[in-house]
Amino acid sequence: MKNPVLVALFCLMQTLILAQSPTPSKPRILISTDIGGTDPDDNQSMTHLLMNSDLFQFEGLVSSPSYGEGNKKEILRMIDIYEKDLPKLNKHNKKLAKPDFLRSICKQGRKGNAPFSGYTTATEGSDWIIKCAKKQSEHPLWILGWGGLEDIAQALHDAPEIQHKIRIYWIGGPNKKWSANSYAYIAENFPNLFFIEVNSSYYGFFSNNTEPDTINTSDYYNRVIQGGGHLGMDFKNYYDGEIKMGDSPSLFYMMDGNPEKPERESWGGSFKKITYSPRTIYNQTTTLKDTVAFCSIIEIHLKGPKIEIPSDSVCFWMEIPYGKTIQKWPGYHLGNGDYAIRYIPKKAENLHYRFTSKIAEINGLEGDIVVSNLWPGKKHSTDYPLGNHWYSDKSDINLYDEKIQGGKTVLKWRNVILDDWAKRWKWLK
């Protein structure tokens, strides 16, 4: 017969291991989101954020859609829904954020991705990031990136002194594809940022582990959310109520333990320092003899005619098959007959591409490249060197969730996180 004392101690240890760790202080956060764009998981994450708003000191809600139709109006619409449910929520927690205050900190950022330079002109969103970062405070401003990096890059360009006042937790992956130029600008010019670059771990929360972006099904909506007020009714509109919330690991991270220690265990993942951001430069199209790591920068330079158009003008396109469609990525004229494009693949695959252009020397060029499943991969002389506070997904093979690097560092907390959220859904019933 098992020793009851040992059994009790074991159960206690398991409880302590799974318990939520206290956060030292209420974190100052600014959300940069592409909500309203092509992926409605931002709406799901916004629902979770609003229902847990007492845990954060809000500084800003910035619409930053590097791709798609994301806009500030969609943030405001979500706040309107939250306001309808607030009387019920307040019966259980009176510290939740006030809707009018949330509306006052909503700002519109850049719509569309940045040119090759990585920045353009200031936006309401980028100016707000600067204003929040410069506030007198004992605590840093945490920028949680749910979309593109364009407004963050613009803010850093316009006010580089803020780099020591901010911390960034960014959901990269697909967002990195769209923000290749702004990402490259930040990595090259601000390597000493405190930056948690999450390219894959977050998939562990929602994804089928053999095919990233395929959502695991569950009964969570029917069991927990259904009947949960106006927010519950709205939640059904996204993935038919299935849980994706691909950006929410940034919130989970801020809710569990000291955010200044990315290498710790946390609901939002556990990360390691990286000393370089991989970039491979090619002066011609690539072949299947060329291999890069997923989420690394492929930079292709081509020679063509010296034409009289402004530098950083789009003048050719990279076409890449994506499912049953074709994605098109802009290439730029850099001047003096130099043409260039950056592309960042989000997953392991053998990738084929084709260039189209009115420039005869470029039009019709084709290439292939092998993308491997280990980030950041092998070093190159053209990589961006990084400082002492840049973190990313752990590469330990034991932490892979099948194809998902670092996936188990988030997956292990999924049930605990959803059980925690379920307590608040009960408030709306």
Side-chain angles (χ1 to χ4, degrees), residues 14 19 22 60 76 81 93 116 122 141 157 165 171 177 192 221 270-271 289 298-299 327 373:
Q14 290 300 103
L76 294 171
I81 298 171
N93 189 326
F116 199 83
L141 173 68
H157 173 266
K165 298 178 177 291
I171 301 291
K177 288 174 66 176
N192 293 314
Y221 181 84
S270 180
F271 308 101
K289 294 180 180 179
I298 302 168
E299 187 172 315
Q327 288 188 338
N373 200 34

Side-chain angles (χ1 to χ4, degrees), residues 193-205:
L193 273 175
F194 190 113
F195 198 115
I196 303 174
E197 178 184 338
V198 191
N199 290 316
S200 55
S201 298
Y202 71 96
Y203 281 111
F205 181 70

Side-chain angles (χ1 to χ4, degrees), residues 24-30 57-59 129 132-144 162-168 194 254 258-260:
S25 60
K26 186 181 288 191
R28 299 172 60 221
I29 66 167
L30 182 149
Q57 181 178 336
F58 284 88
E59 298 285 354
I129 290 172
C132 294
K134 287 186 173 183
K135 279 185 181 179
Q136 290 296 321
S137 175
E138 296 178 357
H139 307 293
L141 173 68
W142 278 90
I143 301 174
L144 309 185
I162 70 171
Q163 64 182 297
H164 304 299
K165 298 178 177 291
I166 63 175
R167 309 280 190 270
I168 299 170
F194 190 113
M254 303 305 298
N258 186 351
E260 297 285 333

Side-chain angles (χ1 to χ4, degrees), residues 31-35 42 62-67 144-150 152 169-172 174-176 178-179 182 247:
I31 306 294
S32 173
T33 173
D34 56 1
I35 191 170
D42 286 56
V62 177
S63 169
S64 299
S66 58
Y67 173 75
L144 309 185
W146 297 2
L149 287 173
E150 277 69 17
I152 300 172
Y169 182 119
W170 181 48
I171 301 291
N175 292 325
K176 197 172 181 183
W178 300 106
S179 285
S182 53
D247 299 294

